[in-house]
Amino acid sequence: MEHKGFTIWFTGLSGAGKSTLSEMLAANLRGQGYKVEVLDGDVVRTHLSKGLGFSKEDRDTHIRRVGWLCQLLARNGVIAIAAAISPYREIRDEVRSMHNGNFVEVYVECPINVLAERDVKGLYKKALAGEIKNFTGVSDPYEAPLQPEVIVRSDRDSKEQSAAQIMDALRRRALVA
């Protein structure tokens, strides 16, 4: 199936549901015959960004790499889906500018107290107690998007409702049928 490539960029705090929603969306789109690639921030970090830490400079470098790869895939007719915390607005905007309008930012919003309750690894509790330094949203900044194309609320809506909301937004923009 020939179709226009573009990037769906999920951003939000750790545990908000970016990876889950990106995989659901990818399965839905593949089921309709679209070429799709998911670039999960944690997975890409182990290959493309191996050796980078979590300083602002390293995080920015990682996001630029994921963004460049998404742009390359989108330019070649693939729907690239990125699921990365991507905490800094400036770098997300830089990635957006690489895409010449073929970019859909999805903000997966969820309050920290809900994320701490969901967190099976207990990372938020440790970060809130000061045991983990530079934890995004707790002791390191997270800059929410100012004008994302889609906002889903993972504390309020089911993952199915959120995925449907994203698909509706893609249809309204005539990116998918």
Side-chain angles (χ1 to χ4, degrees):
M1 170 189 233
E2 284 297 317
H3 59 87
K4 179 180 176 181
F6 62 95
T7 292
I8 303 168
W9 191 275
F10 283 90
T11 182
L13 293 171
S14 178
K18 299 176 300 298
S19 296
T20 298
L21 288 172
S22 65
E23 290 297 337
M24 287 180 68
L25 199 60
N28 185 341
L29 291 167
R30 286 184 185 120
Q32 296 180 49
Y34 291 98
K35 293 183 286 185
V36 180
E37 189 60 57
V38 175
L39 301 168
D40 186 276
D42 291 339
V43 175
V44 173
R45 186 175 270 279
T46 63
H47 300 285
L48 196 61
S49 296
K50 190 173 184 175
L52 291 179
F54 292 92
S55 68
K56 182 179 184 318
E57 182 180 356
D58 283 356
R59 287 174 189 241
D60 289 351
T61 298
H62 173 62
I63 293 306
R64 283 186 183 104
R65 290 176 182 175
V66 174
W68 177 81
L69 189 52
C70 285
Q71 182 274 335
L72 187 66
L73 290 166
R75 189 178 72 195
N76 286 284
V78 175
I79 299 172
I81 301 175
I85 295 172
S86 46
Y88 301 106
R89 196 176 297 130
E90 180 183 5
I91 300 304
R92 290 194 309 266
D93 289 345
E94 185 180 311
V95 169
R96 176 187 291 272
S97 71
M98 294 178 192
H99 283 77
N100 298 319
N102 298 320
F103 187 86
V104 177
E105 187 174 42
V106 178
Y107 176 33
V108 184
E109 187 176 2
C110 188
I112 287 193
N113 64 321
V114 174
L115 294 171
E117 289 174 20
R118 286 184 191 166
D119 184 15
V120 292
K121 296 177 184 173
L123 296 176
Y124 276 98
K125 287 179 183 155
K126 288 180 182 176
L128 290 166
E131 297 171 25
I132 299 176
K133 304 294 179 202
N134 302 322
F135 195 86
T136 301
V138 176
S139 53
D140 220 38
Y142 175 79
E143 300 170 353
L146 296 177
Q147 294 182 318
E149 282 75 11
V150 184
I151 300 173
V152 294
R153 296 279 313 265
S154 67
D155 62 320
R156 185 183 65 197
D157 300 329
S158 71
K159 57 189 177 185
E160 290 79 11
Q161 290 171 320
S162 296
Q165 187 181 347
I166 297 164
M167 285 299 294
D168 287 346
L170 297 178
R171 286 187 196 101
R172 281 194 306 276
R173 287 171 174 74
L175 293 168
V176 298

